[in-house]
Amino acid sequence: MSASAQPSSESPPGGGRPDPGPAGAATLAKASAENFPVAPFFLPAAWRDDLMTVYGFCRLVDDAGDGDLADPAGTAALLGVPAPPEPTGPSQDLGLTPSAESGPPAPDRPSPAGTAFRLALLDGLDRDLDRVFESALDPARGDAPRHPLLRPLVPLVDRHGLTPEPFRRLIEANRVDQTTTRYRDYDELIAYCTLSADPVGRLVLALAGFATPERIAMSDDICRALQIVEHLQDVAEDLARGRIYLPAEDLERFGVTEADLAAPSAGAAVRELIRFEADHARTLLDRGAPLVGTVRGRLRLLLAGFTAGGYAALAAVEGVGYDVLAQQAKPDKRRLAAKAAAIFAKGR
């Protein structure tokens, strides 16, 4: 199909972002639930649009990998992927069935058919990403992206000279999630974070035109910290999906079993383990926070917000006594704002 026969990747007449459709709008709406503002009001409208375009891609890929798409069948049809399997278990989601593994019941764990469908969706998104860069390189020859959340990437790539690598890493991280459910040690977890977390900060720096090797290194530390603290907030949810992001080496160190993580509340050993992992995240944040002082203006405020989001999430984990099983630790918005203001002022 020619590019002219595909929906346009450009903004509609009068400006603004292309219509993402109901499913795409549901994906973008998840921005309000993140630990930090994705596209805060103080940024220029064009920059907010750019950040939401990148967020839309990131959230879409994560939802495809987690089985959380608002319209999986419609997404499959758009991407030319075979339709999802019929629901066969109590989860009523993409053929998910309770796991036959030992351990507590986990109705959200995917069946083989569900996993195959998720991988097919990720492959379809990878092919659509090819269309993004082909269209940016030569709009007259390349087919336009099929998914409405990828179409706005075309002018973004063209304006900012973005490369495919960070986008592909995010897709690969979600492929890893389909086949890897445990991490042997901290180094192995950090290697996963290079796929799942680093690309986000690198894309923000690229959009702002401030991507230098020194800034990228500090950004990677911040993003890895944000990823780790999110894993701490979501221990119970991840276990329900059959995944544990706490390194096995650390579980053994503190005498924590998988059954302990499935308990309704955390015992002393689990709380000590969570404290230990939170200290890792804090060290990364402390190492990356000076990034804020290397920039000025609204970018400085944005990066202060990202960094403060990590500190506020860590404070929330501490605030529940490191018992992340009994309740989800959510950052206090007032504390986040105050921390962001302090980081902005100090530059770290």
Side-chain angles (χ1 to χ4, degrees):
M1 183 181 295
S2 68
S4 61
Q6 292 277 8
S8 172
S9 62
E10 297 296 330
S11 297
R17 302 181 74 252
D19 182 4
T27 298
L28 293 173
K30 295 182 180 182
S32 63
E34 302 293 344
N35 279 338
F36 48 84
V38 173
F41 70 92
F42 56 78
L43 295 177
W47 199 357
R48 291 200 306 272
D49 283 348
D50 286 353
L51 288 172
M52 285 303 297
T53 294
V54 169
Y55 176 81
F57 174 84
C58 296
R59 188 74 265 168
L60 174 66
V61 171
D62 278 353
D63 286 352
D66 287 342
D68 289 338
L69 289 170
D71 182 12
T75 301
L78 272 174
L79 298 175
V81 170
E86 291 296 323
T88 59
S91 68
Q92 298 297 301
D93 178 28
L94 304 186
L96 302 182
T97 58
S99 172
E101 300 174 17
S102 60
D108 288 339
R109 296 181 184 176
S111 67
T115 296
F117 176 66
R118 295 180 188 192
L119 287 168
L121 279 176
L122 293 170
D123 288 346
L125 288 169
D126 208 347
R127 290 190 294 271
D128 220 28
L129 186 63
D130 285 338
R131 297 183 190 101
V132 168
F133 283 88
E134 289 166 1
S135 295
L137 184 65
D138 189 349
R141 296 183 60 185
D143 286 343
R146 297 178 181 180
H147 197 286
L149 289 179
L150 270 73
R151 292 173 200 145
L153 285 176
V154 177
L156 200 68
V157 165
D158 185 53
R159 283 199 307 274
H160 298 284
L162 303 181
T163 64
E165 181 186 14
F167 299 101
R168 294 209 190 284
R169 284 193 182 192
L170 292 166
I171 294 173
E172 184 59 26
N174 280 271
R175 287 197 184 102
V176 170
D177 278 336
Q178 309 311 309
T179 57
T180 302
T181 59
R182 305 291 187 274
Y183 291 85
R184 182 177 61 253
D185 54 30
Y186 183 71
D187 288 344
E188 195 170 271
L189 180 64
I190 290 297
Y192 169 74
C193 290
T194 65
L195 299 175
S196 64
D198 293 6
V200 178
R202 293 182 181 209
L203 284 168
V204 170
L205 290 176
L207 291 178
F210 281 88
T212 65
E214 295 79 10
R215 290 191 181 103
I216 287 171
M218 289 185 281
S219 171
D220 288 349
D221 282 335
I222 292 172
C223 291
R224 292 169 190 180
L226 295 176
Q227 179 77 87
I228 289 171
V229 73
E230 182 178 350
H231 290 160
L232 300 183
Q233 292 172 297
D234 295 341
V235 169
E237 179 182 334
D238 290 334
L239 185 62
R241 297 180 186 274
R243 302 173 189 161
I244 296 177
Y245 292 103
L246 303 169
E249 181 178 78
D250 295 345
L251 267 71
E252 183 177 353
R253 178 199 303 249
F254 288 92
V256 172
T257 67
E258 293 192 16
D260 293 330
L261 298 180
S265 63
V270 172
R271 292 197 302 273
E272 284 304 308
L273 169 63
I274 299 301
R275 183 198 297 269
F276 179 75
E277 304 300 345
D279 286 345
H280 274 314
R282 188 177 302 278
T283 297
L284 288 169
L285 273 178
D286 290 346
R287 201 162 68 196
L291 171 66
V292 177
T294 70
V295 297
R296 294 290 179 266
R298 296 181 186 184
L299 177 60
R300 181 174 174 133
L301 189 54
L302 178 67
L303 296 181
F306 288 163
T307 308
Y311 283 117
L314 283 171
V317 170
E318 183 180 4
V320 299
Y322 300 99
D323 185 358
V324 294
L325 304 182
Q327 57 186 306
Q328 191 172 44
K330 284 291 186 182
D332 179 270
K333 291 186 178 180
R334 289 174 297 181
R335 175 174 288 188
L336 191 159
K339 186 66 175 178
I343 293 172
F344 177 84
K346 294 179 181 178
R348 58 177 303 144

